[in-house]
Amino acid sequence: MCGRELDYVKKAFESNYIAPVGPQLDQFEELFSEITGLPHCVAVANGTSAIHLMLRCIGIKPGDLVLASTLTFIGSVAGAKYLGADLGFIDCDYDTWNMDIDVLEKEIESLLKSGIKPAAVLPTENYGQPCDVDRLRSVCDRYEIPLVMDCAETVGATYKGQHVGHGVKAAAFSFNGNKIVTTSGGGMVTSDDGALIDHARYLANQAKQPGWQYEHHEIGYNYRLSNILAAIGISQLEVIEQRVQRKREIFNQYKDELAEVPGIRFMPDVSYGVGNRWLTAVMIDEKEFGVDNIAVMTGLEAENIESRPIWRPLHTQKVFANCRVAGGQVAESINRQGICLPSGTSMSNEDVTRICKTIRSLCKTRSLRETG
Ligand SMILES: Cc1ncc(COP(=O)(O)O)c(C=O)c1O
């Protein structure tokens, strides 16, 4: 928390809108639009529901095929399954850790040859790293497939000078407790298309027809964000720039302090945008470092330092055993070697130094042991 949340929550209480509607909710949406330049948005209960709603609004229906990133969190694709769609997974590349656009293109071509037209492409922007939207769009436009983006982790990140989420049919964001800014739980659907967002708002509000009668022509969802939680979100959005700056400082400190350690590879920086470095993610090369990522995570835990593995690729999950996958080896190798290091913005520089010291002590290759 940044310290001003309770002031806004107090205002929400004073407004007496202890409900999924109210002035703080309106203000949160307006502020999000202002900060991101994304003209239309609707705040919802979480990122998973935002993605579900976004897919429903672009018309995804049972039997459709949605092409998604394999290196991602399950919340990215659950919405497609809620709608009865099938999933096809696409590998990522080492340069971005995001969807490999060449693999995507080949997969679309091969699907089209067998008479299957994907209904949507849904890449994830991993760990705060923006996707190359122009390249993705040129592929999707060529085959007339809607492109929607999972920006759950990239609030505050930019692509070619603009906030991420532009240039796609719709985008979804998360304000989960672990994200760069949070409402405890929350999400947002955005689009350049005002009619799409109006539709999303209507569906998120139980698809209630205008007017005071409880009239419904279709089934919607109870997905709106609480006014109280939106109040938390307002104060969080006010500090988004500082948050991104601090996240990037933490990443740079890790990079500097671990520069001499053999076998540590950081998630790369892309040239076309600025990631928010939501999590500092690295790969450990066991041969060069001397032990594997699990040994590093265990060693950190012994010092009471929490770390996390990289997403387990979705094509390797039991629940998706029958899904198509294009490639997958890059995602598997990043998962096999990866670690998300502690990245909380409330960490001090001394905390980061202590973590780096612990990582250095875990390195079992000779040169480092000799130099200490
Ligand atoms: C890539 C990705 N997609 C979707 C989600 C789902 O968001 P939420 O937890 O707000 O439902 C998350 C995060 O939790 C995520 O990291």
Side-chain angles (χ1 to χ4, degrees):
M1 295 290 100
C2 71
R4 297 192 48 198
E5 286 80 5
L6 282 176
D7 297 341
Y8 285 100
V9 170
K10 193 162 170 274
K11 278 189 197 152
F13 270 71
E14 282 161 5
S15 79
N16 207 24
Y17 277 97
I18 316 297
V21 61
Q24 280 66 36
L25 190 53
D26 295 343
Q27 195 184 337
F28 181 53
E29 288 176 349
E30 279 160 25
L31 189 59
F32 193 76
S33 268
E34 191 185 311
I35 286 172
T36 60
L38 294 160
H40 306 284
C41 64
V42 57
V44 293
N46 49 56
T48 309
S49 56
I51 295 169
H52 180 201
L53 203 52
M54 160 173 98
L55 292 173
R56 165 104 182 245
C57 287
I58 64 161
I60 298 300
K61 53 185 191 318
D64 279 350
L65 178 65
V66 174
L67 297 180
S69 301
T70 187
L71 191 70
T72 188
F73 178 59
I74 192 142
S76 187
V77 297
K81 295 311 291 178
Y82 299 161
L83 293 166
D86 294 323
L87 286 164
F89 295 112
I90 309 290
D91 207 353
C92 56
D93 59 46
Y94 287 118
D95 294 339
T96 64
W97 296 25
N98 287 335
M99 187 181 276
D100 184 320
I101 302 172
D102 295 327
V103 173
L104 169 71
E105 184 163 18
K106 282 201 192 92
E107 178 68 349
I108 293 174
E109 280 167 3
S110 125
L111 283 161
L112 290 174
K113 270 188 203 134
S114 48
I116 303 166
K117 181 167 175 181
V121 172
L122 168 63
T124 292
E125 303 198 308
N126 267 317
Y127 302 120
Q129 180 89 289
C131 285
D132 191 343
V133 176
D134 287 350
R135 272 196 70 211
L136 278 166
R137 214 181 41 205
S138 80
V139 171
C140 290
D141 284 356
R142 193 167 327 132
Y143 302 105
E144 297 180 335
I145 301 168
L147 172 64
V148 288
M149 193 70 82
D150 178 349
C151 298
E153 301 167 5
T154 40
V155 177
T158 59
Y159 174 69
K160 296 189 176 171
Q162 270 190 315
H163 196 278
V164 298
H166 288 269
V168 294
K169 201 152 177 50
F173 295 84
S174 166
F175 305 106
N176 184 277
N178 63 10
K179 294 296 183 289
I180 188 161
V181 284
T182 184
T183 55
S184 76
M188 191 78 82
V189 186
T190 66
S191 178
D192 285 335
D193 179 350
L196 187 147
I197 294 300
D198 287 347
H199 190 208
R201 194 181 300 280
Y202 151 83
L203 288 173
N205 194 21
Q206 299 283 24
K208 186 175 160 293
Q209 290 292 315
W212 30 276
Q213 294 294 351
Y214 292 101
E215 201 182 322
H216 303 270
H217 300 175
E218 60 186 316
I219 297 294
Y221 315 95
N222 183 5
Y223 270 177
R224 283 291 267 157
L225 183 68
S226 154
N227 190 52
I228 304 295
L229 302 186
I232 299 175
I234 297 167
S235 50
Q236 288 272 294
L237 286 181
E238 286 175 353
V239 295
I240 183 64
E241 269 181 40
Q242 291 99 294
R243 288 283 164 92
V244 174
Q245 195 188 338
R246 181 68 192 134
K247 289 275 188 189
R248 292 189 62 84
E249 276 168 15
I250 289 169
F251 174 86
N252 289 332
Q253 191 184 341
Y254 275 125
K255 215 169 168 188
D256 288 350
E257 293 198 19
L258 296 173
E260 303 300 320
V261 184
I264 299 189
R265 196 162 145 194
F266 286 78
M267 186 174 85
D269 249 328
V270 291
S271 56
Y272 51 71
V274 182
N276 68 15
R277 293 293 184 196
W278 171 51
L279 297 183
T280 291
V282 299
M283 285 167 78
I284 303 286
D285 182 318
E286 188 183 344
K287 275 203 198 99
E288 284 181 47
F289 188 83
V291 296
D292 67 5
N293 62 337
I294 305 292
V296 175
M297 283 189 272
T298 311
L300 287 170
E301 197 173 66
E303 293 297 319
N304 200 22
I305 297 167
E306 189 185 23
S307 62
R308 293 286 169 92
I310 298 290
W311 303 128
R312 161 114 179 244
L314 295 182
H315 73 271
T316 69
Q317 305 274 0
K318 199 171 169 188
V319 68
F320 297 128
N322 297 324
C323 293
R324 288 179 71 98
V325 57
Q329 295 74 19
V330 177
E332 285 174 38
S333 95
I334 294 176
N335 164 259
R336 229 179 5 254
Q337 300 175 65
I339 306 181
C340 294
L341 296 174
S343 307
T345 47
S346 57
M347 280 195 308
S348 65
N349 292 353
E350 290 70 34
D351 290 331
V352 179
T353 297
R354 182 169 86 86
I355 298 161
C356 292
K357 215 172 144 197
T358 307
I359 294 172
R360 292 170 71 85
S361 75
L362 294 166
C363 179
K364 295 288 178 279
T365 39
R366 273 189 74 221
S367 58
L368 206 89
R369 250 195 267 148
E370 279 160 9
T371 58

